[in-house]
Each structure stands twice: as C-alpha cells, then as structure tokens.
Amino acid sequence: HDDALQAYNKGSIFLKMHRFEDCLDAYDVAERLWEEETDMLTSQGDPEAAKRSKISFLNILSCKSYANYMMGRYDASLELIEKMLEKAPEDPEYLFRKGFVLYTSQRYEEALICLENALSKCREFPEAWYCKGNVLRELGNYDTALEAFECSIEYSQPLSYQFPRFTWIPLTSSPKMKMDSSEAWYCKGEILFRQNKYEEALEAFSRALDIKPAFEDAAKFRNIVLQELGKNSNIK
C-alpha cells in the first residue's frame, strides 16, 4: 500500500507539471499494486479494507484517463473509463466522463446516450446537463439544448472561484460543491442569439458576466447583442 501511495503521489506531481508520460509510468505502478492489494484483501475476507483499496484503484484509473485525455489520446482515455465502469457500472460520474470524452471526440450520438444515462441516475448533476446542452447544440437541437442549459443553471450554485469550461470531477469532490453556472448562461445566450431572441440573449450574457465579470467571450457577445438592439455598447 505504501509503495502504491508513493507512486500515486509521484504521478500526481508529474501530472501537475504536465509531464504526462512520466505521470503515466508512475500511475501504472500504483495501479498494479492497488489492484493486487484489492484482490489479496478480498481473498482474505476483509471487504472493508478491499473496498478502500478499490477506491484507490479506481482513482488511479481516473487519473490515467485524465492524463491521456490531456494528451489528446481519447481512445485510451475511453478504454480506462470503460475499465472503471466494469467495476462500478452504475456510477453517474463515470458515465458523465465517458460522455464528456465522446463529446470531445465529436461522437455526439454516443455522448448523448452516456449523458442521459448519467442523468437518469443523478438528475442534480449540473456538469452533465451542461455537457448535454453542448452535445445537443452541436446536433442542431437548439430548443432541447436550451432546456439542458437551464437545468444546469438550476442545479448549479456559483462559488467564489471559477471552474474551467469543462471540469474533470475528482472522485473525492464534496457533494456540496457546485459548478459555476456562467458557462451555461453563456451557451444559453449564444443559442438565443442564433434564434434572433436578442433581449433574452442580452439577459443571458449579462447573467454570465454577473457571475464571472472577467468572462471576455460573454462581454464581446453582449456588445454584439447590444449593437443588434441598436443600443449603446457602454450601457450596463
């Protein structure tokens, strides 16, 4: 266990340094050791300890999946997520991650199936609703995409810090932590603009900027909407 933990910590440092190949080498060691530990504890009839070891094993798979994703190795990332789903097929976070990587790979129909499956198991999942909205937008289903973004906003709670546009949810995340809904407001505004619903688009971009004042894309789009409405772009 100590050797596995040491390898995991080493891999995590390499991950933060974006030394992904070194990161994966260290994680491979931790994966092998924790998998062996899980099997050993299970055979010894210690289910509680085996469960803790299994969580560590799954966390390693998640980290390896993320490292591969960051290198653009989407197929390898998906293979690792499938391995996670073999161990926990009903986990909504794993299903979301699979849908997220499929979305990035432009495999939109497959992504939609995964995201809907995740949401059927956990409706209050703002990241999954947000990703579903983006998938639907790519498919041209704008009205349904708007509904998804609205659900993302409903289940989100702005925090004092901002998440990136797509968040790789850690296994140890607090259930009280909610994503920043500024991105969902922005995407909603973009669709409303395409539909020539300028007043509603203006409200959406303004809401995004209320949450995230430094949101440059939202500010630019808001000025475009103001110009379409024939207003002064300096109006707040």
Side-chain angles (χ1 to χ4, degrees), residues 19 27 32 41 47 53 77 98 117 125 156 158 207 216 230:
R19 290 172 57 179
Y27 282 155
R32 176 178 56 80
L41 292 169
S53 186
S77 181
K98 182 179 178 181
N117 198 0
F125 198 156
S156 297
R207 292 294 294 272
E216 292 184 4

Side-chain angles (χ1 to χ4, degrees), residues 121-189:
K121 302 179 190 309
C122 179
R123 180 171 176 80
E124 296 183 11
F125 198 156
E127 291 88 352
W129 281 113
Y130 174 68
C131 193
K132 180 181 178 179
N134 279 287
V135 171
L136 290 165
R137 181 177 59 177
E138 293 295 335
L139 292 172
N141 300 333
Y142 295 140
D143 289 338
T144 314
L146 282 173
E147 293 174 6
F149 289 130
E150 286 164 4
C151 286
S152 179
I153 292 166
E154 178 184 352
Y155 296 122
S156 297
Q157 179 179 336
L159 301 176
S160 58
Y161 59 91
Q162 315 296 325
F163 281 93
R165 179 161 296 192
F166 288 101
T167 303
W168 197 268
I169 305 173
L171 294 176
T172 56
S173 63
S174 167
K176 295 181 180 179
M177 292 172 63
K178 299 290 185 179
M179 71 175 288
D180 175 351
S181 60
S182 62
E183 293 285 353
W185 279 112
Y186 171 80
C187 292
K188 183 178 177 181

Side-chain angles (χ1 to χ4, degrees), residues 81-97:
I81 295 172
E82 289 290 356
K83 195 171 181 179
M84 293 159 65
L85 285 167
E86 288 175 7
K87 301 289 185 180
E90 301 299 312
D91 193 300
E93 287 189 4
Y94 300 163
L95 291 165
F96 160 71
R97 294 179 192 191

Side-chain angles (χ1 to χ4, degrees), residues 8-63:
Y8 168 74
N9 289 335
K10 185 177 180 181
S12 297
I13 292 171
F14 282 137
L15 181 63
K16 290 180 180 179
M17 296 171 67
H18 285 201
R19 290 172 57 179
F20 298 119
E21 294 291 356
D22 293 329
C23 159
L24 288 171
D25 287 342
Y27 282 155
D28 283 343
V29 175
E31 178 189 355
R32 176 178 56 80
L33 292 173
W34 263 320
E35 187 170 29
E36 290 176 0
E37 182 184 64
T38 302
D39 293 340
M40 179 190 69
L41 292 169
T42 301
S43 66
Q44 291 177 349
D46 192 345
E48 288 301 316
K51 183 179 179 180
R52 290 193 295 270
S53 186
K54 178 183 176 181
I55 291 172
S56 297
F57 172 69
L58 288 171
N59 193 37
I60 279 291
L61 295 181
S62 174
C63 292

